[in-house]
Every structure is written in C-alpha cells, then in structure tokens.
C-alpha cells in the first residue's frame, strides 16, 4: 500500500468513513435477521469494509471476474437490488451524498467527496458486485 493511499484512508476514516462503515454493517446485521436477507447482509459486510478503507479498492460486477452469471448477477440479482434499494439503499445513499456535500465544501475534501459519491452509486445496486483491490504500479 502506498503512503499516500494510507494517509487518504486514515483521513477518510476520520472524516465520515467510520460512520458510514458502521451504518453499512448495521444494515447487514438487520438483513441477517431473516433467511431471505442473508445475501443482502453479506453484501453489506463486504461493502462496509470498503466504506471503512475505500482508497485502493474498486467495486466491480462479479460477472466480469467469474466470466459467467451467478445468482447475484442474473435476474434474481436485479430483483434483489430493487428490494435492497427500497429497504436500505436509499438511506445509505442519502448518508453518502450528505457526507459528500460536506466534503466538497473544502478543496482538501474533494477526493473524499468523490469516494462518497462512488459509494453512493454502489449503494443503489450492491447485489452481484464484489470489491477488488487495485495493485500499485
């Protein structure tokens, strides 16, 4: 991990990353209450970890990694994303957008605001996505 990425991740954690990561994990715990919600909870914990340390990570569709459709990238994944959006997605997206607006107030906060917007887009449809680490060049 590069030094700059480490510094950005530490600053991110202090400037809203901790709060949003905890909210993602809370949504995951609530999802695990029912058996139907277990796939949602799994996605929440994976993306919640990314919400804690987003610099150097990307969320991609599992179809591009596995080279085939699975249950989360097919028709059931679309249905799951609709249910997700109505139950949790809209609230987590609003949280990320609110944090992004606060970050965009200062020039130093612009990279953090961009990360919040990236996570807000991921919040809209997380089922069928996985988090990968970017290699340093």
């Amino acid at each position: 991990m590069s030094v700059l990425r480490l510094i950005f991740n530490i600053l991110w954690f202090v400037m809203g990353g901790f709060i949003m990561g905890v909210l993602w994990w809370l949504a995951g715990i609530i999802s695990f209450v029912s058996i139907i919600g277990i796939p949602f909870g799994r996605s929440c914990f994976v993306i919640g970890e990314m919400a804690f340390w987003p610099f150097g990570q990307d969320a991609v569709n599992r179809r591009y990694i596995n080279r085939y459709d699975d249950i989360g990238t097919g028709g059931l994944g679309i249905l799951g994303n609709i249910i997700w959006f109505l139950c949790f997605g809209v609230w987590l997206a609003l949280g990320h957008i609110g944090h992004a607006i606060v970050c965009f107030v200062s020039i130093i906060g612009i990279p953090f605001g961009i990360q919040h917007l990236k996570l807000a887009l991921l919040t809209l449809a997380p089922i069928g996505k996985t988090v990968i680490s970017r290699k340093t060049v």
Side-chain angles (χ1 to χ4, degrees):
M1 179 185 276
S2 70
V3 175
L4 187 60
R5 187 179 302 164
L6 177 66
I7 291 170
F8 273 3
N9 276 324
I10 291 170
L11 288 172
W12 165 268
F13 190 78
V14 174
M15 301 177 101
F18 175 74
I19 294 169
M20 291 310 299
V22 167
L23 289 175
W24 271 98
W25 283 3
L26 180 64
I29 290 170
I30 293 169
S31 295
F32 272 114
V33 170
S34 71
I35 292 176
I36 296 171
I38 291 174
F40 300 112
R42 184 185 172 283
S43 292
C44 286
F45 286 111
V46 170
I47 297 169
E49 185 178 339
M50 182 183 175
F52 282 123
W53 312 106
F55 291 96
Q57 297 186 30
D58 278 325
V60 296
N61 194 322
R62 281 196 315 265
R63 180 182 306 138
Y64 300 132
I65 294 175
N66 299 337
R67 303 213 190 272
Y68 60 87
D69 283 337
D70 59 17
I71 196 165
T73 58
L76 287 176
I78 294 170
L79 179 64
N81 279 324
I82 292 169
I83 294 168
W84 162 261
F85 179 74
L86 296 174
C87 294
F88 296 109
V90 67
W91 304 111
L92 286 169
L94 288 174
H96 281 296
I97 291 170
H99 277 94
I101 290 169
V102 170
C103 288
F104 281 134
V105 169
S106 70
I107 292 174
I108 295 172
I110 291 174
F112 304 112
I114 291 170
Q115 288 297 325
H116 274 297
L117 292 179
K118 180 172 87 170
L119 284 165
L121 285 174
L122 180 60
T123 301
L124 301 178
I127 307 297
K129 302 271 177 35
T130 191
V131 176
I132 59 169
S133 178
R134 277 189 258 154
K135 303 280 184 194
T136 56
V137 178

